[in-house]
Amino acid sequence: MIDFVPAEIEDSKLILSFIHKLAKFENFPYEISVQESDLEKNLFSEDALARAIIIYYNESPVGFIVYYFSFSTTTGKKGLHLDDLYVEPEYQGLGLGKKALKYLAGVAIDNECARFEWWSLKTNEKAINFYKKLGAKELQEITVFRLTQEDCQNMILLSRLL
C-alpha cells in the first residue's frame, strides 16, 4: 500500500536523512549544507516556503517529496515546482516515483497551476528517460543560472565600486 502523507515538523530529521541519501545517490556536485533547523523553518513554520510529503510503502517511510509554488508572468498563474523526489533504492521499480508525480500533478490541478516543472541533473540519464516516458518535455531553450549568497554579496560590493 502506498500513501503520500504531508510531513510534520517531527519528520525533519527523516527528511534530512533522505536529502543526504538523494545527494549521494545522484552524485550531487554541490555542497549539501542544509540543517534540520533549516527544514523546520522553511517547511513547517507559519511562513513556510515549501511543502514536504513523506512517501509510505506498507506503512514504512521510503521516500519524500518537496515542492513549492512559483508564479509565471506569461501565464498569469502559479506553477508547481518539484524540488526533490526521492525513493529509497530498494523500493525503486515499484511505481512509487510514477505515483508520486501523478500525486503532484493532482496538486497542480487542484491549485490551478499552469505548469508543473522540475529540474534534473544532466548526468541523471535514468531519471531523464523516466520523465520523458511519462510525457514530460525537456526544455532546450532555457538555461538555469545561479548566484550563491556569496556571489550576491560580491555583486553588491562590486556595484558600489563602479
Side-chain angles (χ1 to χ4, degrees):
M1 179 152 155
I2 301 167
D3 286 313
F4 298 96
V5 179
E8 297 182 9
I9 197 165
E10 297 80 25
D11 296 314
S12 296
K13 189 175 209 143
L14 174 64
I15 294 168
L16 184 62
S17 168
F18 283 146
I19 290 169
H20 284 281
K21 289 179 179 183
L22 172 61
K24 184 176 180 181
F25 179 79
E26 59 184 15
N27 294 315
F28 193 70
Y30 304 104
E31 177 187 0
I32 305 301
S33 61
V34 63
Q35 301 292 315
E36 193 172 338
S37 60
D38 298 319
L39 299 176
E40 290 171 353
K41 176 183 176 187
N42 294 304
L43 295 177
F44 304 109
S45 69
E46 189 175 306
D47 58 344
L49 300 171
R51 298 177 186 180
I53 305 292
I54 304 297
I55 303 169
Y56 286 89
Y57 183 74
N58 291 334
E59 300 182 18
S60 294
V62 299
F64 81 114
I65 300 166
V66 171
Y67 69 94
Y68 57 87
F69 293 104
S70 59
F71 178 76
S72 168
T73 58
T74 58
T75 66
K77 297 182 180 190
K78 63 179 153 180
L80 188 143
H81 182 88
L82 168 61
D83 193 59
D84 276 332
L85 167 58
Y86 174 73
V87 174
E88 296 272 21
E90 60 268 28
Y91 295 94
Q92 293 176 7
L94 300 175
L96 297 173
K98 187 175 185 178
K99 287 184 177 165
L101 289 173
K102 200 172 173 181
Y103 171 86
L104 287 174
V107 171
I109 289 168
D110 291 346
N111 286 275
E112 300 179 8
C113 295
R115 51 177 76 135
F116 168 24
E117 297 177 322
W118 60 92
W119 302 338
S120 177
L121 292 173
K122 291 181 181 186
T123 56
N124 195 345
E125 292 179 28
K126 182 179 175 185
I128 291 169
N129 291 332
F130 169 68
Y131 300 142
K132 286 180 177 179
K133 284 180 188 174
L134 295 177
K137 314 278 185 293
E138 184 177 1
L139 302 179
Q140 300 296 325
E141 64 276 5
I142 293 177
T143 300
V144 176
F145 291 91
R146 174 179 294 158
L147 290 174
T148 64
Q149 186 177 44
E150 182 181 342
D151 296 332
C152 291
Q153 291 168 342
N154 289 336
M155 183 172 66
I156 291 168
L157 286 173
L158 287 174
S159 68
R160 289 181 185 158
L161 298 175
L162 299 177

